[in-house]
Amino acid sequence: MIGLATDAPLLKVSDLAIEYGKGVSLMEQVGFSVQRGETVGLVGESGCGKSLTALAVMGLMAQNLRISQGEIELDGVDLVQMPDVDLRKLRGERMAMVFQEPMTALNPVMTVGAQVVEVLREHRRMTRAEAARRAVELLELVRIPDAAARFSDYPHRLSGGMRQRVVIAIAIACNPALLIADEPTTALDVTVQAQILQLLKRLQRDANLGLLFITHDLGVVRQIADRIVVMYAGSVVEEGPVDAVLDNPRHPYTTGLLAARPHGSFIEGGHRLADIKGTVPAPHARPTGCPFEPRCVNAQPDCRQSPPPRTAFSGDRALRCYHPSGSLN
Amino acid sequence: MSDLKTAAATPDRNAAPGLRFLLGPLPRYVLRRLSQAFLVMLLVVVGSFVLVKMAPGDMVDVLAGNADMTAEQMAALRARYGLDQPTWVQLLRYMYSLATLDFGYSPLNAAPVLDIILARWPVTALLVVSSVLISMTVGTIMGVVAARNAGNPVDLSISLLMLFFYATPTFIVAIGFILIFSVFLGMMPIAGFSTVGADYTGLRYVWDVITHLTMPVLALCTFFTAIYGRIGRAAMLEVLTLDYVRTARAKGLSERRVIYVHALRNAMLPLVTMAGLQVSSLVGGAVLIETIFGLPGMGRTAFDAVFERDTNLLLGVVFVSSLSVVVVNFVIDMLYMALDPRVELA
């Protein structure tokens, strides 16, 4: 991309609204940005719109969903207005995605090598032999042991962790600027999780990737992310540097999420896991005011009037809440 | 890429190359399937023989009905064909002659059964193979197009057409074809495998056979096209929701590549299964079409043999048809393995 100010964010999502069918709003006023070399953790409960945001950025939303408002800018170019043909050329090339389920993310009837070669040949002028050589290098880069031999294996011969490495190899094959990882470690067991996180961190550092890391695991966010964006029921409720937000959460939802994490000992003295009362409202049954109001411990009558506006405050943080917890330090 | 492949396949370095192959999974698998096939065929022979013998009346009764014979003449005939022996002796004799590739003699056709079958098997094989290929191709394409347009008018019209094909009995289609294209329009020959008495050779003969087989093949296709279309649509719709299709899209591949390389190959598995079933049902079951279009195929041969009590011919047809089905099933299993690497030799 030519002629762009270097300080323009790599990815800038602003005022994004997505509708289902005729006018059921799935998310509204979602905005955040990802800088080059930065890792942003996107967190929230299931169904809050994390994955939908990722799919919207990639242009891979289901056909019955529609972006009704807002912009998604990559390198300053709006992807929402972009024709499908051009968007397709960016996928796998400028932006790439790693999915949640490594067991099903690879085509079972193609060798892993062929699946890496495919993306290289789609976006780069490479002969078959060149692409195959590069694919083996990529498999080595994601630390797949004996990569040359694994090249001609089918996915079902690989473990979940190995398959996720292949998915990552496919994602980084064309040196994208933006990598979206949608709960890439959720389906893996703990030791493998740590390895995959390490791998993503290393690749991100080495290639100065902008990484949008989607998870519901706050521990993982603290490990990997620079900034955190907390979503609830289709809107961003709190955002800021990860340590600041997690050490001093302001939104009652963030506070609740942190309190709901297991801590201390379950063996000594009947420790009970805290929870947030109630459930996430369905998209068509969201309250008119603050979406979190019905479950909120700080709720006041004015919360029901209108959704709280985004208020930025010190330390590069922002919040949507009329009655935040904690104190402005 | 070639050096990569060899690097991947380095099992046992000590075994001699030839021996390693013979001990490999494929030959062992083939050997096991062969022994299974032998058992199946044995059961077919015994079963069909016993069934035929259980039916009242034999060939001599039919001959006697046509030619006014005395009881002595009938007994003499029975003795000549071995029909006076106990069933188990007849069965053993039959099995022995089968083992020497002797299918016996068909007195009604005045020819060895093997010769009759060798003349008629190609007709049915041509009919079956062309209708399987055509209905599978057309049905698959229809299914893919319908799935990609799921819910919109294109899908609706294809689905309606499929329902129409599915619901129309084959013989109605056949008679409809004859009425329209042969009787009213005079474009197509009404019946037969080739023009009688024309004695064409070379390409002219091939063309003659094609024009004769067009209507029977298409009539056989309609029902199965609908089946492939419906299975293909359902399989495609399912595959298109799977994660690896999304992965393929996330790679920035063209929609065409996503559909035909990633999705279709996975959606082919149920279609291949159906192809196996279609072949099996047509090999012996194309009687109706063969009768309507006057084709000298296996189905009609069997049908006639039943009414003429031509036991040897009937048993021969059943044997060869069963053998064809066994072979086709084996080929389908091989195809399955080629399509899906997760299917292991077992």
Side-chain angles (χ1 to χ4, degrees):
Chain A
M1 296 278 140
I2 312 150
L4 290 164
T6 43
D7 58 343
L10 171 66
L11 174 73
K12 184 159 179 273
V13 176
S14 34
D15 198 23
L16 187 68
I18 293 174
E19 282 183 357
Y20 166 77
K22 280 198 174 75
V24 177
S25 169
L26 292 181
M27 60 166 65
E28 266 167 41
Q29 295 187 304
V30 167
F32 61 90
S33 59
V34 182
Q35 307 286 340
R36 285 170 188 79
E38 184 189 38
T39 300
V40 173
L42 190 57
V43 301
E45 282 169 272
S46 300
C48 71
K50 298 172 307 225
S51 295
L52 186 56
T53 307
L55 292 175
V57 172
M58 291 294 287
L60 291 174
M61 280 193 312
Q63 285 184 342
N64 50 0
L65 304 183
R66 194 171 66 83
I67 294 179
S68 52
Q69 210 188 326
E71 286 100 48
I72 300 170
E73 285 169 70
L74 186 71
D75 297 311
V77 182
D78 187 11
L79 304 183
V80 176
Q81 303 300 329
M82 191 177 274
D84 265 359
V85 231
D86 298 337
L87 191 57
R88 177 162 82 72
K89 291 194 179 112
L90 294 180
R91 283 203 287 267
E93 147 73 355
R94 287 293 291 165
M95 54 182 181
M97 188 157 170
V98 175
F99 297 96
Q100 180 172 353
E101 273 296 337
M103 302 311 274
T104 53
L106 294 170
N107 190 333
V109 302
M110 276 173 92
T111 62
V112 296
Q115 298 188 55
V116 183
V117 164
E118 192 181 30
V119 69
L120 288 166
R121 301 248 301 160
E122 181 71 35
H123 298 290
R124 299 274 183 270
R125 280 168 176 250
M126 277 189 173
T127 63
R128 245 164 229 293
E130 281 166 0
R133 217 172 303 130
R134 177 75 187 128
V136 174
E137 283 172 23
L138 283 163
L139 294 178
E140 279 164 357
L141 191 65
V142 296
R143 302 273 157 86
I144 288 181
D146 206 0
R150 292 287 83 78
F151 182 92
S152 35
D153 267 350
Y154 287 94
H156 70 278
R157 321 244 343 214
L158 272 59
S159 67
M162 284 301 142
R163 288 190 215 184
Q164 195 62 301
R165 286 169 197 268
V166 174
V167 174
I168 292 171
I170 291 171
I172 61 164
C174 296
N175 299 317
L178 173 71
L179 181 64
I180 301 175
D182 186 359
E183 310 216 18
T185 57
T186 307
L188 303 171
D189 56 54
V190 181
T191 48
V192 183
Q193 266 186 26
Q195 293 168 5
I196 295 289
L197 282 181
Q198 249 173 21
L199 172 67
L200 282 171
K201 242 169 151 173
R202 179 170 59 84
L203 293 171
Q204 190 240 4
R205 218 177 28 239
D206 293 353
N208 201 33
L209 278 171
L211 178 59
L212 180 61
F213 193 95
I214 298 171
T215 181
H216 55 249
D217 187 334
L218 293 170
V220 168
V221 175
R222 205 194 274 271
Q223 262 185 60
I224 198 165
D226 304 309
R227 289 167 50 76
I228 182 171
V229 175
V230 183
M231 285 185 79
Y232 178 79
S235 62
V236 174
V237 293
E238 180 163 15
E239 59 178 292
V242 69
D243 289 332
V245 172
L246 294 183
D247 291 342
N248 181 21
R250 301 302 314 282
H251 198 285
Y253 178 61
T254 319
T255 319
L257 273 186
L258 279 164
R261 292 167 60 213
H263 55 89
S265 166
F266 285 92
I267 303 161
E268 294 162 25
H271 177 95
R272 250 186 80 88
L273 205 58
D275 59 357
I276 303 175
K277 299 271 170 280
T279 52
V280 186
H284 57 83
R286 281 180 190 153
T288 45
C290 172
F292 190 57
E293 179 270 325
R295 304 174 70 187
C296 184
V297 287
N298 296 0
Q300 304 286 326
D302 60 335
C303 295
R304 281 181 223 135
Q305 302 305 314
S306 60
R310 178 179 190 270
T311 36
F313 60 100
S314 65
D316 198 19
R317 294 179 62 173
L319 193 63
R320 276 179 198 275
C321 184
Y322 292 122
H323 306 285
S325 323
S327 58
L328 281 171
N329 39 297
Chain B
M1 285 211 24
S2 58
D3 53 330
L4 295 170
K5 278 193 178 138
T6 46
T10 46
D12 187 7
R13 283 166 213 281
N14 301 325
L19 197 65
R20 198 193 307 159
F21 174 75
L22 285 177
L23 294 170
L26 190 65
R28 248 185 298 165
Y29 176 74
V30 172
L31 212 68
R32 239 201 41 232
R33 286 297 297 263
L34 274 178
S35 52
Q36 279 175 2
F38 180 77
L39 263 177
V40 168
M41 292 313 297
L42 200 67
L43 281 174
V44 165
V45 169
V46 175
S48 57
F49 192 87
V50 170
L51 269 177
V52 166
K53 286 297 164 193
M54 272 163 64
D58 59 15
M59 184 182 69
V60 176
D61 291 324
V62 176
L63 287 175
N66 292 341
D68 224 9
M69 272 186 264
T70 62
E72 289 76 34
Q73 283 171 312
M74 284 168 74
L77 259 180
R78 288 211 167 88
R80 190 172 150 211
Y81 290 118
L83 296 173
D84 55 343
Q85 302 289 318
T87 306
W88 67 271
V89 174
Q90 291 185 40
L91 175 62
L92 285 181
R93 278 188 181 171
Y94 183 67
M95 282 164 67
Y96 173 77
S97 60
L98 268 189
T100 59
L101 269 183
D102 175 12
F103 288 78
Y105 187 80
S106 163
L108 289 160
N109 290 273
V113 168
L114 189 62
D115 291 0
I116 301 170
I117 287 176
L118 283 181
R120 298 188 177 182
W121 190 82
V123 175
T124 297
L126 200 57
L127 203 62
V128 170
V129 168
S130 16
S131 64
V132 169
L133 289 182
I134 292 173
S135 54
M136 194 165 172
T137 313
V138 176
T140 305
I141 292 171
M142 297 264 231
V144 170
V145 173
R148 288 188 65 184
N149 291 288
N152 75 17
V154 177
D155 172 35
L156 205 70
S157 16
I158 290 180
S159 296
L160 266 176
L161 187 70
M162 289 294 142
L163 190 65
F164 179 69
F165 280 178
Y166 185 70
T168 315
T170 306
F171 74 92
I172 301 255
V173 177
I175 292 170
F177 277 170
I178 291 177
L179 276 177
I180 297 170
F181 296 106
S182 304
V183 177
F184 296 144
L185 297 176
M187 287 162 58
M188 290 290 184
I190 286 186
F193 183 71
S194 56
T195 311
V196 176
D199 288 328
Y200 293 124
T201 49
L203 280 178
R204 189 70 191 78
Y205 177 74
V206 172
W207 179 245
D208 190 44
V209 171
I210 289 177
T211 53
H212 276 84
L213 283 188
T214 302
M215 291 201 303
V217 166
L218 289 185
L220 272 181
C221 279
T222 51
F223 179 74
F224 282 100
T225 304
I227 302 237
Y228 287 118
R230 297 176 122 203
I231 295 177
R233 179 178 180 275
M236 210 54 194
L237 277 179
E238 196 205 319
V239 169
L240 284 177
T241 66
L242 295 182
D243 285 353
Y244 57 79
V245 171
R246 193 180 52 187
T247 308
R249 291 215 170 96
K251 284 173 169 181
L253 303 180
S254 66
E255 192 60 16
R256 180 175 304 196
R257 199 172 160 83
V258 171
I259 298 284
Y260 291 99
V261 176
H262 284 270
L264 185 57
R265 195 167 152 203
N266 285 281
M268 282 307 283
L269 293 171
L271 293 171
V272 170
T273 311
M274 191 59 225
L277 289 174
Q278 185 190 1
V279 172
S280 308
S281 78
L282 286 187
V283 162
V287 189
L288 215 61
I289 288 295
E290 285 174 2
T291 308
I292 293 173
F293 288 98
L295 293 171
M298 298 283 277
R300 228 180 100 215
T301 307
F303 185 73
D304 293 342
V306 169
F307 280 92
E308 306 293 341
R309 294 289 187 277
D310 194 339
T311 333
N312 283 345
L313 184 56
L314 182 59
L315 290 174
V317 169
V318 170
F319 183 84
V320 173
S321 300
S322 311
L323 195 62
S324 309
V325 171
V326 167
V327 170
V328 165
N329 271 322
F330 179 71
V331 171
I332 294 288
D333 284 354
M334 288 284 143
L335 213 58
Y336 235 91
M337 264 194 299
L339 275 173
D340 190 345
R342 287 167 301 179
V343 178
E344 301 271 338
L345 302 166

